[in-house]
Amino acid sequence: MKDHIIIKLAETEHELEQILKLQDSNHIQNLSPKERNSNGFVTVKHDLELLTKMNNSARQIIAKDNENVVGYALVMLKEFSELIPVLTPMFAMFSNLSFNQMPLSSYKYYVMGQICIAESHRGNGIFEGLYLNIKKYILTNLKFV
């Protein structure tokens, strides 16, 4: 990853707005079939109110190049399972799963969700950087470790 790219927690409304802008520019509805096939896409659209709620409960992790958000990895706590209809069936399935003979619902967990890197910054190790920093930032702050 380039030295001037930093991985950090989203802290400001402006950073959340930049996440939404990057999300919108990579949304399936805004890309041609060729772009979707070659670069991938995101399917869920958040709004500022929901993203703010998510960020207040579990800070979202971002990659910044100077002042610009160029990547993000969103996490969602189970408490938000009803707020994004397309994800509701996935969370419902989790209620039927167990881990170590205990229902998954008895654990505190998060779902690693949407990850997106600006096209201009792909291939620079940002994806790996976001994942490597999940434990450092998210898990520690949520007291999972």
Side-chain angles (χ1 to χ4, degrees):
M1 190 164 48
K2 295 182 179 178
D3 291 337
H4 60 281
I5 307 249
I6 60 165
I7 307 291
K8 64 182 282 299
L9 297 175
E11 298 172 307
T12 68
E13 186 172 302
H14 182 64
E15 289 171 336
L16 297 179
E17 289 168 344
Q18 288 186 61
I19 290 172
L20 295 175
K21 184 178 177 183
L22 184 57
Q23 182 180 72
D24 188 59
S25 66
N26 288 279
H27 192 269
I28 189 169
Q29 293 176 336
N30 300 327
L31 298 172
S32 70
K34 183 178 178 180
E35 290 171 313
R36 292 190 299 252
N37 288 333
S38 64
N39 291 322
F41 54 88
V42 298
T43 55
V44 174
K45 273 192 175 184
H46 299 78
D47 60 33
L48 186 58
E49 180 183 2
L50 176 57
L51 190 56
T52 299
K53 286 179 184 177
M54 289 169 53
N55 198 53
N56 288 341
S57 295
R59 291 285 170 104
Q60 305 305 309
I61 192 163
I62 58 175
K64 288 186 82 172
D65 184 351
N66 295 310
E67 293 302 310
N68 300 312
V69 172
V70 296
Y72 63 82
L74 301 183
V75 299
M76 182 175 281
L77 300 179
K78 63 184 175 182
E79 291 81 9
F80 292 93
S81 63
E82 300 292 323
L83 298 179
I84 299 178
V86 72
L87 300 180
T88 302
M90 176 184 68
F91 280 101
M93 181 187 66
F94 291 165
S95 67
N96 297 319
L97 298 177
S98 62
F99 179 72
N100 289 336
Q101 286 84 42
M102 289 182 58
L104 193 58
S105 60
S106 67
Y107 291 94
K108 185 173 183 178
Y109 68 89
Y110 71 92
V111 172
M112 183 67 227
Q114 193 175 89
I115 200 163
C116 185
I117 312 299
E119 186 174 5
S120 59
H121 287 72
R122 293 177 188 157
N124 291 316
I126 294 173
F127 185 93
E128 182 179 14
L130 290 168
Y131 266 114
L132 290 175
N133 281 280
I134 291 290
K135 184 174 183 179
K136 178 180 175 184
Y137 292 123
I138 310 264
L139 295 179
T140 302
N141 290 329
L142 291 174
K143 300 182 180 23
F144 285 114
V145 291

